Amino acid sequence: MLEKVPGRKVTGPASTDWEIPGMTTVAAYAAPAAKAPLERTTIERRAVGPHDVLIDIKYAGICHSDIHQVNEGWGESIFPMVPGHEIAGVVSEVGAEVTKFKVGDRVGVGCMVDSCRECEYCLRGEEQYCVKGNIPTYNGIGKDGQPTYGGYSEKVVVDEAFVVRIPDSLPLDVAAPLLCAGITTYSPLKHWNAGPGKKVAIVGLGGLGHMAVKLAHAMGAEVTVLSQSLRKKDDGLKLGADHYHATSDPKTFEELAGTFDLIVSTVSAPMDFGALLSLLRVDGALVNVGAPEEPVSLNLFSVIGGRKTLAGSAIGGIAETQEMLDFCAEHNIGAEIELIRADQINEAYDRVLASDVRYRFVIDTSTI
Ligand SMILES: [Zn+2]
Ligand SMILES: [Zn+2]
């Protein structure tokens, strides 16, 4: 085993001298333990390998799942944790064999940084469903055996195969949330054929939901928002919704029974899935992209009558993520964001939990 010491020179087996360039120390915000507030620290980024790019991170979005993982809501996490899987930045160094990118390119990194690359799903570009499990951008173990650290930091080193290009017309700050919230909603909308002539409902108008509304509208679907209250109705209509209903009003479920071809639920709190399923047409699908921490119970007659599908969907593959970014550039779609300094991260977490964000916090990483 070679020790990773900066600039250390070692002698190879065929008496070839080579340089181990060493790791880079970068500033980051990390949670030192479960449920602990995030604080400024430093982390080591691996040396830039032949297929790697070094990215100067400019912006990092705050996703609700960052908070779930800091709080161990989805099971045990690795600490210290540097969250962040909505990364937008600029390439500042490329490995010798990198072909997709050059220094100065505007790029993004989403929820995963590697996968087995050999299984059926990896080979067809659905790395998110890799049978060996994809390697998450943070709170995972990389192929080098080291924990992965996410985007709340100054720089990151990522294999070029897991880096996407951010089109020039998309500002980097509003593009950052597309890397998780954008692709997480784009992928099921595409898979279940949202488009002209289709009635699509989006449940919840938060970080994911507001992207789903913009994307479904741009795809040509008739879009309805189902939100707890009518508090954000004006916003929803501005974002592209045709209709807006409150789920707290029982009349909503009477009026809209049997209406939708597709419902995408973006809510990570427990929901009445039976009531939502009653709003589908025959052969309609209810797709869940939010992940409640607790199991849900459901009377299966709600899917049997009407041959309905209750489904889930996780992010999207790398090729599809690129397709989504190109679609967003073509339709001039970015996230609605509130830009914050790094020292506001903990306050932002509290506000996300209180649903007090319109619609995504994005960290200006120059303030780390
Ligand atoms: Zn996310
Ligand atoms: Zn795989």
Side-chain angles (χ1 to χ4, degrees):
M1 276 283 289
L2 300 169
E3 282 179 279
K4 288 178 175 167
V5 176
R8 181 175 169 197
K9 214 163 189 193
V10 294
T11 303
S15 66
T16 317
D17 284 350
W18 78 91
E19 188 90 3
I20 296 186
M23 301 194 286
T24 315
T25 304
V26 302
Y29 263 70
K35 300 186 172 77
L38 278 77
E39 53 193 43
R40 190 176 189 279
T41 184
T42 58
I43 52 168
E44 299 293 313
R45 293 298 191 184
R46 71 167 183 257
V48 176
H51 299 284
D52 287 338
V53 297
L54 175 67
I55 301 167
D56 283 348
I57 300 173
K58 302 293 183 192
Y59 299 100
I62 293 180
C63 176
H64 204 149
S65 67
D66 299 346
I67 303 172
H68 283 293
Q69 291 178 80
V70 166
N71 292 340
E72 295 196 318
W74 292 342
E76 213 174 298
S77 293
I78 301 165
F79 293 98
M81 183 194 301
V82 178
H85 58 206
E86 295 185 336
I87 299 171
V90 175
V91 173
S92 60
E93 189 182 332
V94 296
E97 287 168 47
V98 166
T99 56
K100 269 172 72 181
F101 300 102
K102 59 182 191 318
V103 171
D105 282 354
R106 305 162 85 248
V107 293
V109 176
C111 300
M112 53 187 173
V113 288
D114 216 330
S115 69
C116 87
R117 309 191 194 199
E118 293 168 353
C119 74
E120 177 187 354
Y121 306 108
C122 284
L123 291 178
R124 72 178 192 211
E126 296 193 313
E127 301 90 347
Q128 74 274 33
Y129 302 126
C130 175
V131 293
K132 292 186 181 160
N134 67 66
I135 295 175
T137 302
Y138 69 88
N139 194 23
I141 299 293
K143 284 184 174 167
D144 58 0
Q146 301 299 314
T148 55
Y149 296 121
Y152 300 3
S153 64
E154 296 174 309
K155 296 168 195 283
V156 64
V157 177
V158 183
D159 189 295
E160 66 166 337
F162 285 76
V163 177
V164 287
R165 186 175 300 283
I166 297 179
D168 286 342
S169 64
L170 286 177
L172 291 179
D173 53 356
V174 301
L178 301 177
L179 277 306
C180 173
I183 187 61
T184 298
T185 50
Y186 179 90
S187 186
L189 288 168
K190 279 285 288 212
H191 187 81
W192 277 276
N193 303 310
K198 293 291 174 70
K199 291 187 175 176
V200 175
I202 307 300
V203 185
L205 195 66
L208 291 170
H210 95 287
M211 285 312 311
V213 169
K214 287 188 176 203
L215 291 166
H217 174 69
M219 288 172 184
E222 184 178 333
V223 182
T224 299
V225 173
L226 301 173
S227 186
Q228 265 187 315
S229 72
L230 298 178
R231 194 165 56 92
K232 298 180 189 167
K233 182 175 178 180
D234 290 348
D235 279 10
L237 299 180
K238 263 184 240 155
L239 294 168
D242 301 285
H243 316 282
Y244 202 106
H245 294 271
T247 51
S248 54
D249 182 354
K251 273 194 226 130
T252 293
F253 291 90
E254 286 165 34
E255 258 175 58
L256 301 177
T259 297
F260 300 108
D261 299 287
L262 172 63
I263 300 175
V264 177
S265 174
T266 67
V267 174
S268 54
M271 296 285 298
D272 184 347
F273 288 100
L276 289 178
L277 286 161
S278 74
L279 304 183
L280 289 173
R281 290 160 55 82
V282 171
D283 284 330
L286 166 58
V287 184
N288 200 64
V289 296
E293 294 182 358
E294 298 300 324
V296 295
S297 83
L298 178 71
N299 183 330
L300 287 178
F301 281 109
S302 18
V303 288
I304 291 170
R307 196 170 48 198
K308 293 169 185 175
T309 302
L310 174 60
S313 177
I315 50 172
I318 297 301
E320 192 177 37
T321 303
Q322 186 63 61
E323 177 189 305
M324 175 276 305
L325 287 168
D326 295 342
F327 178 88
C328 286
E330 189 188 325
H331 294 271
N332 203 16
I333 293 175
E336 302 297 311
I337 64 165
E338 185 175 330
L339 201 60
I340 61 165
R341 296 187 312 273
D343 62 9
Q344 295 174 294
I345 291 171
N346 294 307
E347 185 192 324
Y349 274 25
D350 290 341
R351 288 184 52 198
V352 169
L353 292 173
S355 300
D356 177 24
V357 50
R358 295 194 181 187
Y359 282 87
R360 204 62 151 177
F361 286 115
V362 172
I363 304 160
D364 175 350
T365 53
S366 70
T367 62
I368 287 178

